[in-house]
Amino acid sequence: MQGLNLAQPGLKHDPDWYKTAVFYEVLVRAFADSNGSGSGDFTGLIGKLDYLQWLGVDCLWLPPFYASPLRDGGYDISDYTAVLPEFGTLPEFTELVTQAHARGIRIITDFVMNHTSDQHPWFQASRSDPDGPYGDFYVWSDDDTKYAEARIIFVDTEVSNWTFDPVRRQFFWHRFFSHQPDLNFENPAVQEAMFDVVRFWMDLGIDGFRLDAVPYLFEEEGHNGENHPKTHEFLAQLRAMVDAEYPGRILLAEANQMPHEVVDYFGTGQAPECQMCFHFPVMPRLYYALRAEKAAPIIDVLNDTPPIPAGAQWGTFLRNHDELTLEMVSPEERTAMYGWYAPDPRMRANIGIRRRLSPLLDNSRAEVELINAMLLSLPGSPCLYYGDEIGMGDNIWLNDRDAVRTPMQWTPDRNAGFSGADPGKLYLPIVQSLAFNYASINVEAQLAQSRSLLNWVRNVIHVRKGHPTFGLGRMRVLQTNHESVLAFVREYEGASTQFGDSAENILCVFSFAHSAVSAQITLDGYEGSTAWDLFGGAEFPAVGADGTMTLSLGTQGFYWLHLGDAPRG
């Protein structure tokens, strides 16, 4: 974008790049339309890479852009190795990868292994020729009684995991929509076909895959169809192939499970699986803590999270293209969160809430800053969702999860600068609500305001990037004397920052209270240490000889404090 002064660093060789990376999820359809079609495309995204580099993004996550009938936002794939024509061509995709890499930005894409569209040639062949080469590519049954232990995931749209096919005269299995038949991973040919898809895209230069809906690959009578041991065996084989043929590329698991189950997707030292897993359970607790004004929900879920293997990393997030899932909270917590965050039934979808970050938080700048500061300092690599850096709104009058998938808002001009098309041609309408109207909520306006949310987000990202402790350090939750205050220290040996080359220790303190508070923090092992603000370098009172520090925090305020030597220069 004009006015952004950028270097061209290129990719640095770093096999552990994902541990300190800031990820950014962007829907190709939603970001920038280069040809006036009303839908975003690869060329449009290429034109916005300078903005993403300026923001501090290390890796783009692109949801499906493959050939698809688009009955589920592209997650219903009809050809794994073809691009949906509205997005562009394969050469344009490879140009996107090249241009991103030139700016030091990596790219991972979604890989939907669990199911295909019912329009996929494999399924059409399977239903019409049961004895042919694709007859056993899907899970078929003469009745709909098998695998009764498996829950229905889309409870608001599906009544069964089986659907009758009038062509084959059998039922086919699906864990999601009835137009998305599950692949049969018991068939070695299916597994080899998945390996071939991975090779196809990695040969084009992508840096990894987010593995969509990965817990559901295998079924067995008497099993709930989630986290099956055979799923882990397959993932270990996939990881071994990727490590051998494409070193430095990553696999990121979308496993919406409890912490003790999610960690299994990292594998073991002898049989590693995914380098990264999304930490679903911690996310809703961040929102719960904001309204309950208590740190305990976050502390509890962190205490319930087992250690992860060396070489592994959590992926953390606040929002994404799906609903804010509430599967990982208790019924009582879910009821409270619906009341706090989704009072209108239209704001809900499945077992979750279909809203963007700023509308969820009633457009409160203090809460948006507080929850982003938590995201960027908790263990893991944070993943931002496009538009949340400017406080974009949503549109709950749109169907399903389209509420949070509207076009990016670049300028106050027609179509928010997203497209030159007639407004009626846009794939979804621009947000025009009173509080989140694109005329005031857009990149151009916020670039011109030094204290805008966009400039704040960029600043906090760059502060984080200057301290590898946030990505590589261990975490220790600290005791405080106030139930609304969360405090932890991030500790890392071998840091190289403005504060010196020795070990770095960062104290992170957050207040969920709706008024100013004073809290005493117990910092065993840091007696007498000085404290310095990471943002401005201001000196804070040293830790007392008794190992305690007393801090005053404003309403929903936070601190990131370096413990130890003074900053250089």
Side-chain angles (χ1 to χ4, degrees):
M1 295 185 66
Q2 291 184 351
L4 303 183
N5 185 20
L6 302 168
Q8 300 294 318
L11 287 187
K12 298 177 181 178
H13 175 70
D14 179 7
D16 294 326
W17 63 267
Y18 56 91
K19 293 183 180 180
T20 55
V22 173
F23 290 74
Y24 185 97
E25 182 190 6
V26 55
L27 307 177
V28 177
R29 175 181 288 107
F31 214 52
D33 172 15
S34 70
N35 58 15
S37 68
S39 181
D41 47 52
F42 295 135
T43 301
L45 179 52
I46 290 171
K48 300 299 184 182
L49 289 175
D50 284 350
Y51 164 77
L52 296 171
Q53 181 189 352
W54 170 85
L55 186 61
V57 171
D58 298 298
C59 184
L60 294 182
W61 157 27
L62 304 181
F65 48 80
Y66 316 105
S68 167
L70 298 179
R71 295 184 65 187
D72 183 26
Y75 284 86
D76 49 331
I77 295 172
S78 57
D79 188 337
Y80 281 107
T81 57
V83 169
L84 196 66
E86 69 182 69
F87 294 147
T89 64
L90 276 176
E92 288 171 339
F93 175 78
T94 57
E95 180 65 13
L96 169 64
V97 174
T98 299
Q99 292 293 336
H101 285 176
R103 291 163 174 81
I105 299 173
R106 289 176 166 87
I107 291 181
I108 65 171
T109 67
D110 261 332
F111 185 26
V112 188
M113 286 193 295
N114 180 71
H115 52 264
T116 70
S117 165
D118 58 9
Q119 300 305 305
H120 197 293
W122 295 346
F123 185 74
Q124 294 299 317
S126 186
R127 69 195 303 221
S128 61
D129 186 8
D131 297 322
Y134 296 100
D136 198 29
F137 255 54
Y138 297 84
V139 182
W140 296 95
S141 175
D142 290 329
D143 60 56
D144 60 356
T145 61
K146 293 174 67 176
Y147 314 140
E149 299 296 320
R151 65 190 172 100
I152 297 172
I153 295 171
F154 287 168
V155 293
D156 55 352
T157 57
E158 302 297 328
V159 296
S160 172
N161 287 323
W162 292 102
T163 290
F164 184 73
D165 178 57
V167 175
R168 182 155 162 161
R169 307 294 297 173
Q170 282 185 302
F171 292 89
F172 64 84
W173 177 254
H174 56 88
R175 291 307 303 270
F176 295 93
F177 290 120
S178 57
H179 57 79
Q180 293 171 327
D182 277 25
L183 287 162
N184 176 21
F185 275 81
E186 297 285 359
N187 183 349
V190 169
Q191 298 190 25
E192 192 54 43
M194 295 297 100
F195 276 45
D196 289 342
V197 173
V198 170
R199 291 186 176 104
F200 178 87
W201 290 104
M202 289 195 173
D203 284 343
L204 293 182
I206 69 165
D207 300 281
F209 280 112
R210 169 190 174 268
L211 305 180
D212 179 74
V214 76
Y216 312 106
L217 303 186
F218 286 84
E219 303 80 32
E220 182 180 343
E221 200 63 49
H223 193 277
N224 68 1
E226 302 178 26
N227 312 313
H228 196 285
K230 290 183 179 179
T231 294
H232 292 290
E233 292 174 11
F234 170 76
L235 289 176
Q237 295 168 12
L238 177 62
R239 170 67 181 274
M241 183 273 285
V242 170
D243 282 352
E245 299 180 24
Y246 306 96
R249 321 290 180 94
I250 70 163
L251 302 174
L252 166 58
E254 186 219 16
N256 190 357
Q257 308 286 318
M258 295 303 290
H260 68 278
E261 296 168 321
V262 177
V263 295
D264 291 342
Y265 288 87
F266 291 117
T268 64
Q270 294 72 34
E273 297 176 28
C274 299
Q275 287 95 336
M276 295 184 67
C277 294
F278 279 129
H279 198 320
F280 279 91
V282 75
M283 179 266 302
R285 266 71 182 200
L286 302 180
Y287 292 96
Y288 192 91
L290 283 180
R291 291 291 183 266
E293 300 183 61
K294 294 180 180 178
I298 298 174
I299 295 172
D300 290 344
V301 74
L302 292 174
N303 288 337
D304 289 341
T305 301
I308 61 177
Q313 178 67 302
W314 287 113
T316 54
F317 63 100
L318 298 175
R319 291 299 301 112
N320 58 29
H321 65 282
D322 283 333
E323 68 274 14
L324 191 165
T325 181
L326 299 180
E327 289 184 283
M328 301 291 105
V329 301
S330 70
E332 294 77 18
E333 290 172 322
R334 188 177 305 132
T335 299
M337 291 188 69
Y338 276 142
W340 289 329
Y341 294 112
D344 188 325
R346 285 184 295 265
M347 298 172 179
R348 306 173 189 179
N350 299 313
I351 305 175
I353 301 170
R354 56 189 197 107
R355 305 200 73 191
R356 269 189 175 269
L357 178 62
S358 286
L360 275 168
L361 304 182
D362 294 328
N363 211 17
S364 165
R365 176 71 178 266
E367 289 192 343
V368 170
E369 290 187 4
L370 177 63
I371 202 167
N372 270 294
M374 282 194 290
L375 173 74
L376 291 165
S377 56
L378 285 169
S381 294
C383 183
L384 311 180
Y385 187 50
Y386 83 96
D388 281 353
E389 73 271 20
I390 60 171
M392 260 180 67
D394 50 38
N395 186 346
I396 63 171
W397 300 97
L398 298 176
N399 292 329
D400 195 43
R401 292 169 284 189
D402 283 348
V404 301
R405 299 177 182 180
T406 57
M408 179 67 175
Q409 295 165 197
W410 295 103
T411 73
D413 304 322
R414 189 177 76 168
N415 298 331
F418 161 76
S419 170
D422 183 297
K425 286 182 62 178
L426 299 188
Y427 77 96
L428 287 176
I430 302 290
V431 172
Q432 302 189 50
S433 62
L434 289 175
F436 298 98
N437 195 287
Y438 71 90
S440 56
I441 307 295
N442 62 74
V443 171
E444 183 178 83
Q446 294 197 21
L447 282 174
Q449 304 166 27
S450 62
R451 299 179 66 84
S452 67
L453 177 61
L454 174 59
N455 278 305
W456 182 89
V457 170
R458 178 182 185 266
N459 182 45
V460 76
I461 287 174
H462 282 264
V463 170
R464 182 190 194 276
K465 288 163 70 75
H467 298 275
T469 303
F470 286 119
L472 302 173
R474 59 189 176 272
M475 175 179 133
R476 180 158 58 97
V477 177
L478 305 174
Q479 182 179 347
T480 78
N481 68 345
H482 200 295
E483 67 176 4
S484 297
V485 175
L486 170 68
F488 55 81
V489 64
R490 302 298 310 276
E491 301 168 321
Y492 177 56
E493 296 180 3
S496 179
T497 72
Q498 68 182 106
F499 294 93
D501 296 323
S502 59
E504 182 178 46
N505 308 301
I506 299 175
L507 171 64
C508 303
V509 185
F510 307 91
S511 173
F512 306 114
H514 294 175
S515 60
V517 302
S518 177
Q520 185 182 81
I521 302 163
T522 302
L523 279 154
D524 293 335
Y526 289 95
E527 294 82 357
S529 294
T530 54
W532 304 84
D533 176 46
L534 288 194
F535 292 93
E539 185 175 2
F540 275 61
V543 180
D546 61 351
T548 66
M549 171 188 279
T550 299
L551 289 174
S552 296
L553 296 102
T555 301
Q556 296 175 316
F558 76 94
Y559 293 117
W560 287 358
L561 302 177
H562 172 84
L563 296 173
D565 298 331
R568 293 174 173 176

